[in-house]
């Protein structure tokens, strides 16, 4: 595949910034403003994934992902509903980051992994392919059920890992699918309830007064030097 260029510029084995007990292993992905890295705890071997925002422009994406994950967890509970778990975050110092559980390789890597003389996808049974598809669909349905849209579903955001102790045979082990990266997501529901129907979260919707206040504030700021605009703004307020 293409070679990833890191703007963070760490060396493999370097400590995660602000997380000295984890060492960076390899870069998993990158865009112009963020990078994703696999990290490992040297003593325990525990693996984590870190999503770095290299400036404030993409900090909003990290915050959105945390918010939507908390909505999903609050509405659906602590069980495995097909989403990558967000463990911690740093929004105070550069580089900003999210710490997530390691949930396997993405679907594209899984499908193209060599198995004997073929790829894993080529050797996968029809039943296994349908099973992976249904697990991804169940996760999407669970998110939609509480009003959360992912908005960036693609092979790179669908992770696949083997389920320990549940292999049916050597050639066709059991697999688990989870969705990751809700940084482009959206919340449709304004009232989020848990599985028991209890109201957990309310998102306030702007009303008429909010829009009038915003409009008048913008006009006042940008038209402060115009006598005509200020007169018309005064007339507007007097006739509301």
């Amino acid at each position: 595949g293409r070679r990833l260029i890191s703007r963070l510029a760490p060396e493999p084995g370097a400590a995660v910034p602000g997380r000295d007990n984890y060492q960076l292993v390899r870069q998993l992905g990158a865009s112009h403003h963020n990078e994703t890295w696999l990290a490992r705890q040297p003593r325990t071997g525990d693996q984590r994934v870190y999503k770095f925002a290299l400036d404030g422009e993409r900090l909003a994406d990290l915050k959105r992902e945390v918010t939507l994950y908390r909505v999903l967890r609050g509405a659906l509970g602590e069980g495995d509903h097909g989403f990558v778990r967000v463990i911690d975050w740093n929004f105070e110092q550069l580089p900003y980051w999210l710490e997530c559980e390691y949930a396997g390789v993405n679907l594209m890597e899984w499908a193209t992994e060599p198995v004997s003389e073929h790829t894993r996808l080529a050797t996968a049974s029809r039943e296994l392919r349908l099973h992976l598809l249904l697990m991804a669909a169940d996760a999407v349905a669970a998110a939609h059920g509480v009003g959360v849209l992912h908005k960036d579903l693609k092979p790179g955001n669908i992770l696949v890992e083997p389920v320990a102790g549940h292999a049916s045979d050597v050639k066709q082990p059991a697999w688990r699918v989870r969705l990751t990266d809700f940084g482009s997501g959206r919340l449709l529901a304004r009232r989020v309830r848990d599985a028991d129907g209890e109201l957990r979260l309310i998102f306030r919707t702007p009303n008429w007064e909010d829009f009038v206040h915003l409009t008048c504030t913008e006009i006042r700021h940008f038209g402060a030097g115009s006598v005509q605009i200020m007169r018309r703004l005064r007339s507007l307020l007097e006739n509301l």
Side-chain angles (χ1 to χ4, degrees):
R2 63 184 180 87
R3 182 175 178 269
L4 297 173
I5 305 298
S6 173
R7 293 177 60 202
L8 191 61
E11 294 292 333
V16 173
R19 243 328 173 251
D20 294 341
N21 56 332
Y22 277 86
Q23 295 179 350
L24 296 170
V25 177
R26 65 184 177 94
Q27 189 175 354
L28 301 176
S31 67
H32 183 61
H33 295 285
N34 53 49
E35 296 181 10
T36 304
W37 283 77
L38 176 65
R40 180 177 179 274
Q41 218 287 344
R43 289 187 297 176
T44 65
D46 183 42
Q47 296 187 105
R48 299 281 173 85
V49 172
Y50 287 86
K51 299 178 181 180
F52 295 100
L54 304 182
D55 53 41
E57 187 172 347
R58 288 292 178 251
L59 177 58
D61 292 345
L62 300 186
K63 291 183 175 180
R64 185 183 302 111
E65 184 162 2
V66 170
T67 299
L68 293 181
Y69 172 75
R70 295 176 73 175
V71 169
L72 291 169
R73 187 183 63 181
L76 299 173
E78 295 286 350
D80 183 5
H81 300 284
F83 313 111
V84 170
R85 183 165 55 100
V86 176
I87 299 171
D88 202 357
W89 52 86
N90 161 48
F91 297 154
E92 303 299 326
Q93 295 181 337
L94 284 170
Y96 310 116
W97 48 256
L98 287 187
E99 179 185 53
C100 304
E101 67 175 327
Y102 175 73
V105 299
N106 68 54
L107 184 59
M108 183 63 71
E109 292 182 41
W110 180 89
T112 57
E113 181 183 356
V115 176
S116 299
E117 298 179 355
H118 305 282
T119 63
R120 185 173 295 282
L121 183 62
T123 60
S125 65
R126 180 172 180 269
E127 290 76 14
L128 176 57
R129 298 183 191 193
L130 289 174
H131 181 59
L132 298 178
L133 174 63
L134 290 175
M135 283 191 289
D138 285 344
V140 172
H144 288 182
V146 295
V148 175
L149 296 183
H150 188 285
K151 295 188 67 179
D152 193 22
L153 286 175
K154 57 186 180 182
N157 288 334
I158 300 174
L159 304 183
V160 186
E161 69 172 343
V163 181
H166 292 80
S168 55
D169 57 55
V170 176
K171 294 184 179 180
Q172 298 290 347
W175 300 92
R176 175 167 52 190
V177 168
R178 277 175 285 185
L179 304 183
T180 188
D181 195 358
F182 279 81
S184 299
R186 180 182 177 189
L187 183 65
L188 293 181
R190 295 300 174 183
R191 293 173 176 263
V192 178
R193 301 179 183 273
D194 61 19
D196 298 324
E198 182 179 351
L199 186 63
R200 298 296 299 270
L201 190 63
I202 297 176
F203 288 85
R204 181 176 176 273
T205 303
N207 57 24
W208 173 251
E209 292 182 0
D210 294 320
F211 289 121
V212 171
H213 180 270
L214 176 62
T215 301
C216 292
T217 300
E218 291 292 316
I219 293 174
R220 181 170 58 85
H221 284 323
F222 291 99
S226 171
V227 175
Q228 288 294 334
I229 289 180
M230 299 310 291
R231 284 176 178 173
R232 291 175 183 176
L233 181 60
R234 180 177 178 177
S235 178
L236 168 68
L237 294 175
E238 289 175 348
N239 289 280
L240 279 177

